[in-house]
Amino acid sequence: MAINLQKGQKVSLEKKSSTGLGEILVNLNWNSGPVKQGFLSSILGGSKGIDLDLGCLYELKNGQKGAVQALGNSFGSLNQAPYISLDGDDRTGAAAAGENLRINGNKLSEFKRILVYTFIYEGVANWQQADAVVTIKYPGAEDIIVKMDTFNSSNIMCGLALFENQNDQTFSVEKIVQFYNGHQALDKAFNWGMQWKAGRK
């Protein structure tokens, strides 16, 4: 069984032990095949696949803010701040099943909030073709599914799910699935208050 979140719906992660929530795995999977395009664009080599990148904004209780993402090689760390890490940005081995963010749920009291997002690093903004699904897993509990079931956007970025610390007892998880034209627009929508500059990977 799994919990399929609806847009705007919140659920709470249940603590299964006295030590904390354990490792929370956020997996993004999508159809990376080429976008269906017209005859002329295929001749011109325009039918590239979609490269989705998974990442998150985080805010710790001590005021530290940042992003964990492949862009800018900000892969984070699980055992020291920000207590979030991103698996390597490749399509082989462990990452063949999409991309994974790992959150150290035993450090719950250090967090204020985490906003998980995806953006199209390469390819056309065809979200319906990508058919992306986020699965949130943690020990001893049902999977939480966040489907990208809203498609009509040409924006390259999508806010997926918002984790918020609830009295150091648990995280609430809310399905967002809202589109933005980049990191700055996403930041502004959630009042994160960070400074942004162009990056590469």
Side-chain angles (χ1 to χ4, degrees):
M1 291 290 293
I3 300 168
N4 191 355
L5 275 192
Q6 303 304 307
K7 190 165 182 175
Q9 181 186 358
K10 282 185 184 181
V11 294
S12 292
L13 305 188
E14 295 179 19
K15 194 185 292 188
K16 298 295 183 180
S17 74
S18 58
T19 55
L21 288 164
E23 183 181 292
I24 303 163
L25 177 71
V26 182
N27 170 262
L28 171 70
N29 218 325
W30 72 96
N31 173 15
S32 59
V35 177
K36 293 184 179 70
Q37 294 179 319
F39 176 69
L40 187 60
S41 65
S42 66
I43 291 174
L44 299 173
S47 58
K48 289 182 69 174
I50 298 169
D51 179 10
L52 284 187
D53 274 4
L54 179 65
C56 71
L57 299 180
Y58 64 83
E59 182 176 1
L60 303 183
K61 282 192 179 174
N62 65 7
Q64 181 181 336
K65 299 177 183 179
V68 174
Q69 59 179 24
L71 196 64
N73 292 315
S74 300
F75 287 96
S77 173
L78 200 59
N79 297 312
Q80 58 189 39
Y83 309 110
I84 306 168
S85 69
L86 176 68
D87 288 359
D89 179 43
D90 64 32
R91 297 291 173 270
T92 62
E99 294 194 2
N100 297 294
L101 271 173
R102 300 176 192 276
I103 301 168
N104 188 338
N106 295 337
K107 296 290 187 179
L108 170 65
S109 62
E110 304 284 339
F111 289 104
K112 184 176 179 183
R113 57 182 180 155
I114 304 166
L115 177 61
V116 177
Y117 57 77
T118 183
F119 61 98
I120 298 175
Y121 184 71
E122 286 186 330
V124 179
N126 187 333
W127 294 101
Q128 187 163 6
Q129 181 94 16
D131 193 25
V133 176
V134 170
T135 306
I136 300 167
K137 301 171 180 278
Y138 66 107
E142 294 176 313
D143 291 355
I144 299 169
I145 307 295
V146 178
K147 288 187 177 179
M148 290 186 63
D149 42 15
T150 307
F151 308 120
N152 55 345
S153 179
S154 60
N155 287 333
I156 61 166
M157 187 155 220
C158 181
L160 295 169
L162 181 65
F163 290 71
E164 293 182 290
N165 183 338
Q166 302 293 312
N167 300 317
D168 292 346
Q169 296 300 309
T170 186
F171 275 123
S172 66
V173 181
E174 179 183 356
K175 178 176 178 176
I176 304 295
V177 186
Q178 187 71 40
F179 297 90
Y180 304 93
N181 65 8
H183 288 76
Q184 281 182 300
L186 178 75
D187 180 310
K188 185 175 179 182
F190 289 87
N191 298 308
W192 227 270
M194 287 166 49
Q195 300 297 314
W196 294 94
K197 61 181 181 180
R200 301 187 63 169
K201 66 172 186 177

